[in-house]
Amino acid sequence: MHTELTIHPVPVRAMNLPKLWYQNNPVKTHFFNALSTLFPQGENFFISSIRNFEHCARSPALKQQILDFVTQEKNHAAIHKAYNRCLARAGYDVAWMETLLHDKISFGQKHVPPLVLLAVTVATEHITAVLGEKVLQGDLVPEGIDPELRKIWIWHALEEVDHKAVAMDLFVEAGGTYWQRVRAMLYSATGICWDTSIRMFHMLKRDGLLFKWKTWWQLAELMFGKKGLVPLVTWDILRFFAPGFHPARHNNYGLVDHGRRLLGLEAAAGHFP
Ligand SMILES: [Fe+2]
Ligand SMILES: [Fe+2]
C-alpha cells in the first residue's frame, strides 16, 4: 500500500452529481448512490474497529499499513460526504439514512465485543474489495457513464483493492478466529444487501419510478444480467468462507496500477506484500 494513492479525484467543494449519471439508468444510478450513503459512517466504523487493535500489530510494515488504511478511508469518507450532500440537495432523505446507520453502529459499538466488530470490518472490507475489483475490471462502472463520477468510483475501488488485506492481517494478529469471521460475513453480507436496498428503493420512490415495470426489469438486470451482481460477485464473496482464505492470496494488485492509469496517474512502484 502507498499513501501517495490518497488523492481526491475531484475537488470536494465543487462536486456535482448529475441526476441519472449512470447511462440514464435510475436503478444503477441509485444502487451506487445508495452505496455512497453508507460509506462515510461505514468507513469511520472501520477506522475505529481497527484502531481498537492497532497495538496488536507487531511488524512495522503492518503498523504503516494501518496508518495508510486510516488515511485512505478518511479520504473516502470525505468525498462521499460531499457526494451525499448532493443527494440531500436533490431531495433524498439522507438524514434519515444517516440516522438509521448511526443507530445500528452505535448499538454494535455498545453491545458487541471489539474483536467481533473487527471481524465485521474484515468481512465488509472483503466485500468492498470484490466490488472494487469488478469496478477496475470495467464491469461495474464502464466507459459511457458520467466521467467525473466514474473517476470517483475508480479511485475508491483501487484503494479498496490496495488495502484489502490490512484488516485481515490485524484480525489474525489480534487472535480472531475462523468462526468469528464466518459469522461476521453472514451478518455483513445480509446487512449490506438490506441497507443498500432500502436506500435504493427510497430514491426510486422519490423519483416516482418504484412502481414501474421498467424499473423492476432494470433491477433484475442489475442483479442477474450478464454483468449483473449475482454472477459477478457471488463466487468471489464465497471464497471468504474457505478456512485458509487470505485476501492477499488472490493477487489482483495489478488492478491498482490499472486504476491509476485510468485516472491518468503514473503506476506506483514497489508496492504490496
Ligand atoms: Fe473506502
Ligand atoms: Fe476499505
Side-chain angles (χ1 to χ4, degrees):
M1 298 185 40
H2 22 218
T3 43
E4 62 178 293
L5 288 175
T6 54
I7 36 108
H8 283 158
V10 294
V12 168
R13 282 169 63 79
M15 191 183 292
N16 174 38
L17 191 69
K19 181 125 182 93
L20 294 178
W21 57 266
Y22 198 120
Q23 296 169 337
N24 236 12
N25 181 321
V27 169
K28 288 186 177 171
T29 299
H30 289 320
F31 168 72
F32 283 96
N33 289 347
L35 284 180
S36 177
T37 66
L38 297 172
F39 282 132
Q41 291 158 292
E43 285 164 330
N44 284 327
F45 165 76
F46 302 155
I47 290 170
S48 76
S49 306
I50 285 213
R51 284 227 158 113
N52 283 335
F53 288 94
E54 61 189 343
H55 60 276
C56 296
R58 281 188 295 254
S59 73
L62 183 54
K63 282 182 188 150
Q64 183 57 48
Q65 285 174 4
I66 289 169
L67 290 177
D68 293 348
F69 175 95
V70 170
T71 310
Q72 289 183 333
E73 295 294 23
K74 272 188 179 167
N75 281 342
H76 303 166
I79 212 147
H80 282 282
K81 241 186 202 167
Y83 186 131
N84 300 343
R85 275 201 298 273
C86 295
L87 290 172
R89 277 201 298 274
Y92 305 111
D93 196 349
V94 173
W96 163 71
M97 300 175 198
E98 286 174 350
T99 306
L100 276 185
L101 193 53
H102 170 268
D103 292 350
K104 183 170 164 172
I105 290 174
S106 308
F107 182 86
Q109 288 175 328
K110 226 178 257 164
H111 299 286
V112 175
L115 192 55
V116 175
L117 299 179
L118 183 60
V120 170
T121 299
V122 172
T124 314
E125 279 289 298
H126 177 61
I127 295 172
T128 56
V130 169
L131 289 172
E133 177 184 79
K134 306 307 167 193
V135 167
L136 295 170
Q137 288 171 337
D139 293 324
L140 284 182
V141 289
E143 280 184 61
I145 65 169
D146 181 89
E148 291 300 293
L149 269 293
R150 187 162 181 256
K151 264 194 218 167
I152 292 172
W153 288 105
I154 288 174
W155 165 72
H156 196 159
L158 77 88
E159 295 201 338
E160 289 306 322
V161 172
D162 186 41
H163 70 222
K164 65 177 181 167
V166 178
M168 181 68 167
D169 284 340
L170 186 62
F171 180 68
V172 170
E173 299 226 347
T177 67
Y178 171 71
W179 288 108
Q180 272 170 332
R181 73 174 172 82
V182 163
R183 282 198 298 269
M185 176 53 90
L186 295 173
Y187 170 80
S188 213
T190 49
I192 288 176
C193 289
W194 171 256
D195 288 337
T196 308
S197 302
I198 56 172
R199 286 159 175 79
M200 191 165 76
F201 290 145
H202 162 79
M203 290 186 265
L204 288 167
K205 186 157 182 275
R206 174 74 182 64
D207 287 352
L209 295 170
L210 185 56
F211 302 108
K212 304 236 186 247
W213 281 111
K214 193 176 169 193
T215 303
W216 287 85
W217 177 252
Q218 287 171 333
L219 190 60
E221 200 196 345
L222 169 71
M223 296 307 297
F224 307 108
K226 205 167 151 225
K227 299 237 164 160
L229 289 170
V230 171
L232 268 184
V233 307
T234 306
W235 175 246
D236 288 309
I237 302 284
L238 289 176
R239 282 191 291 108
F240 189 86
F241 292 107
F245 168 83
H246 187 283
R249 280 196 195 125
H250 174 57
N251 189 347
N252 60 356
Y253 289 115
L255 286 171
V256 176
D257 284 340
H258 175 63
R260 287 176 64 87
R261 283 190 290 269
L262 288 174
L263 295 176
L265 298 166
E266 295 280 304
H271 46 103
F272 310 122

